[in-house]
Amino acid sequence: MPQDAPSPLDTPVTLPDGTPERLRRQIEFVMEVDRLKNVFRQSPLLSAGRKENDAEHSWHLALMTLVLAEYADEPVDVGRVMSLVVVHDLVEIYAGDTFIYDTEALRDQDEREQRAADRLFTLLPAEQGEWFRALWDEFEARVTPEARFAKAMDRLQPMLLNYGNRGGTWRTPGVTEDDVLARKSLIQDASAQLWSFAQSAIRTGADNGWVPRGTATD
């Protein structure tokens, strides 16, 4: 493709004449969220020399939910947890990914993501958009067992990538073992067993020099 040619994501797509309005909005939403595949996170993949994208991250959380739901401290509806993890990062299409150890970017993360949610979910038919928004709000609030487990998967998954890469984002300047433990502590809200495993993995990483020991930052 020539350097100055528009990418497919920047080119409006006209659906076939006669497409019913509801289906049109749903298809346009599905096509819009394809952008998630081009939102890159900081976590390095285990199987390739690049960082993962948000779509890969969300898929991995859904699969982890199927595999690890038995470790939830409270009974959870696995299907609902999967819905939460599939929806939770869609807003990053507009808000961008916020690196968990970037304290400056974290300051306005909620504001950016709320605006993105307002924009994105209204692309859908009204009642469906409200349902998607409710799922996103539920994940953020963490007041249900499903949301707490979904958030635990969200914190556990990048930890596994960093451990497998012998450091990964743990090697970010200024990040310490205590920082990692503090950021991952939400896992304990959903699973004592997975939190025990996470602590062991992080401490093993520190023992091996993959993350420096030290005091957590604010």
Side-chain angles (χ1 to χ4, degrees), residues 178-217:
D178 284 352
D179 287 316
V180 178
L181 287 166
R183 297 296 193 274
K184 303 303 178 182
S185 62
L186 289 180
I187 296 171
Q188 67 186 313
D189 293 344
S191 173
Q193 196 164 350
L194 292 178
W195 175 232
S196 177
F197 164 77
Q199 289 174 296
S200 295
I202 294 165
R203 287 169 180 155
T204 298
D207 290 342
N208 288 324
W210 304 339
V211 59
R213 300 196 186 279
T215 303
T217 57

Side-chain angles (χ1 to χ4, degrees), residues 1 5-13 31 34-35:
M1 178 181 295
S7 72
L9 291 177
D10 296 326
T11 304
V13 176
M31 295 178 75
D34 185 74
R35 293 175 183 264

